[in-house]
Amino acid sequence: MEIGKPERVVHVEPVEEPVGIPPAAPAEPTVTPEREPVGA
Amino acid sequence: MNAPDYPSAIRAFRIWGVTGDGRRLQSTAAGFWSTMPAWRPGARLEARCLTPRACPDGGIPGLLHRCGIYGLKSFDAAVDWARHVGRVRSTVVIGEVALWGTVVESARGWRAQYAYPARFLEATTRRGRRPLDLAELGGVYAVPIGEPSLV
């Protein structure tokens, strides 16, 4: 397929996922133990 | 890192082939993949380049290379492309595609780093073959079917 000579590069970052792509699952929260587990 | 030039995906026209069961899209040429890339439902397709030296800054697609996922600015050009590909493929889907990431713009189209189908417009099936159920395909990819949304 011929689309012609390249003219410029652009950077495209959609704010939302395009239609059809499920949004990424939120990251699991990191739980920090309040104190060292016994035996650690 | 550069600030984005656009906050939403670019829409373009393109064509696809389909697998034998009519439920998965395939690109109609291997391009710079080693095999014909399959378009997975719910997941973006990422461009690859077999000759990374042609993209010296590491960005795929490179400005002066031919790699990337293609989209056309004109619906008529997509129809012409479909007619050409229809000589060798039994079923061809014409639709709109969302393009994003690093995108190279040319006079008549785009080459992109990432892509996902955005809308299915029509399908042509060679005589004697079972017509493609475009609504079913739209359901598989969770995208609408119908008239072009691009002007």
Side-chain angles (χ1 to χ4, degrees), chain B residues 37-113:
Chain B
W39 293 62
R40 289 171 43 220
R44 70 187 185 187
L45 181 67
E46 181 171 1
R48 290 186 194 164
C49 183
L50 292 176
T51 53
R53 274 187 297 180
C55 303
D57 56 359
I60 297 173
L63 176 67
L64 300 177
H65 201 210
R66 296 171 63 88
C67 61
I69 305 163
Y70 280 63
L72 292 161
K73 294 181 177 178
S74 152
F75 176 71
D76 291 343
V79 171
D80 285 346
W81 186 20
R83 208 169 283 142
H84 177 72
V85 170
R87 294 182 196 142
V88 292
R89 296 204 61 132
S90 58
T91 303
V92 178
V93 175
I94 303 174
E96 295 173 8
V97 64
L99 305 171
W100 71 99
T102 300
V103 182
V104 177
E105 180 173 16
S106 297
R108 295 188 294 279
W110 312 83
R111 292 184 287 117
Q113 181 181 12

Side-chain angles (χ1 to χ4, degrees), chain A residues 1-22, chain B residues 1-2 4-8 42 63 70 72 81 100-101 103-106 108 116 141-142:
Chain A
M1 182 179 47
E2 187 50 62
I3 59 173
K5 285 174 63 175
E7 293 174 350
R8 62 176 183 143
V9 175
V10 295
H11 298 279
V12 182
E13 283 186 28
V15 175
E16 297 177 352
E17 292 284 6
V19 170
I21 298 181
Chain B
M1 176 148 178
N2 294 337
D5 299 303
Y6 296 106
S8 58
L63 176 67
Y70 280 63
L72 292 161
W81 186 20
W100 71 99
V103 182
V104 177
E105 180 173 16
S106 297
R108 295 188 294 279
Y116 192 78
Y141 284 87

